[in-house]
């Protein structure tokens, strides 16, 4: 039973990290991982799957005996290490800059095409 409480606490801690570092609010760890989707690397998603599976198994006393606590501890450590490296503000800034760069590039392409068209028509 001690391990069950540890896994539940770890799941709550990781869910709080999802909210703090990725801006994902969810009631459970499984919901947070689903909402993060492809924003999580494949390996990190696998570690989160290990932790969510351990959380489900820990709810049943007979199945809780099948848990490998060293694996769940390693998955928890890796998840925490990854989530703590994320910066939500920088991600928003990067997304905004990528949007502005795309708009600027599209405007330059349109301007070049207009100049080519004007040159072709003999207006320039």
């Amino acid at each position: 039973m001690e391990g069950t409480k540890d896994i539940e606490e770890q799941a709550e801690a990781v869910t709080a990290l999802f909210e703090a570092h990725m801006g994902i609010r969810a009631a459970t760890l499984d919901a947070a991982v689903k909402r993060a989707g492809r924003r999580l690397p494949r390996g990190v998603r696998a570690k989160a799957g290990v932790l969510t599976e351990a959380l489900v198994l820990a709810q049943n006393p007979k199945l809780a005996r099948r848990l490998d606590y060293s694996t769940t501890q390693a998955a928890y450590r890796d998840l925490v290490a990854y989530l703590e490296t994320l910066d939500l503000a920088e991600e928003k800034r990067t997304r905004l800059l990528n949007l502005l760069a795309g708009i600027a590039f599209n405007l330059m392409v349109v301007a070049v095409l207009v100049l080519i068209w004007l040159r072709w028509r003999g207006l320039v």
Side-chain angles (χ1 to χ4, degrees), residues 1 4 56-67 69:
M1 284 301 184
T4 303
V56 170
L57 291 176
Q59 301 300 321
N60 187 331
K62 286 187 179 182
L63 294 177
R65 287 185 254 160
R66 293 181 48 203
L67 284 176
Y69 291 106

Side-chain angles (χ1 to χ4, degrees), residues 3-71:
T4 303
K5 291 179 185 177
D6 290 342
I7 291 173
E8 290 173 358
E9 290 173 1
Q10 290 173 353
E12 290 173 9
V14 170
T15 305
L17 285 174
F18 269 107
E19 184 175 350
H21 292 280
M22 293 187 84
I24 296 173
R25 291 188 186 107
T28 64
L29 178 61
D30 190 36
V33 171
K34 285 180 182 176
R35 289 197 61 199
R38 291 186 175 221
R39 290 172 55 191
L40 290 176
R42 184 181 304 163
V44 175
R45 268 184 288 165
K47 301 286 183 179
V50 167
L51 199 57
T52 56
E53 183 181 343
L55 188 60
V56 170
L57 291 176
Q59 301 300 321
N60 187 331
K62 286 187 179 182
L63 294 177
R65 287 185 254 160
R66 293 181 48 203
L67 284 176
D68 181 15
Y69 291 106
S70 62
T71 305

Side-chain angles (χ1 to χ4, degrees), residues 31-109:
V33 171
K34 285 180 182 176
R35 289 197 61 199
R38 291 186 175 221
R39 290 172 55 191
L40 290 176
R42 184 181 304 163
V44 175
R45 268 184 288 165
K47 301 286 183 179
V50 167
L51 199 57
T52 56
E53 183 181 343
L55 188 60
V56 170
L57 291 176
Q59 301 300 321
N60 187 331
K62 286 187 179 182
L63 294 177
R65 287 185 254 160
R66 293 181 48 203
L67 284 176
D68 181 15
Y69 291 106
S70 62
T71 305
T72 58
Q73 291 291 359
Y76 171 72
R77 280 194 307 272
D78 292 344
L79 274 170
V80 168
Y82 176 77
L83 290 173
E84 286 181 346
T85 61
L86 298 179
D87 185 13
L88 183 60
E90 184 167 339
E91 185 179 337
K92 287 181 180 180
R93 250 190 323 265
T94 302
R95 203 174 312 148
L96 177 66
L97 287 175
N98 286 339
L99 175 70
L100 293 176
I103 292 171
F105 178 75
N106 288 336
L107 287 175
M108 287 187 337
V109 168

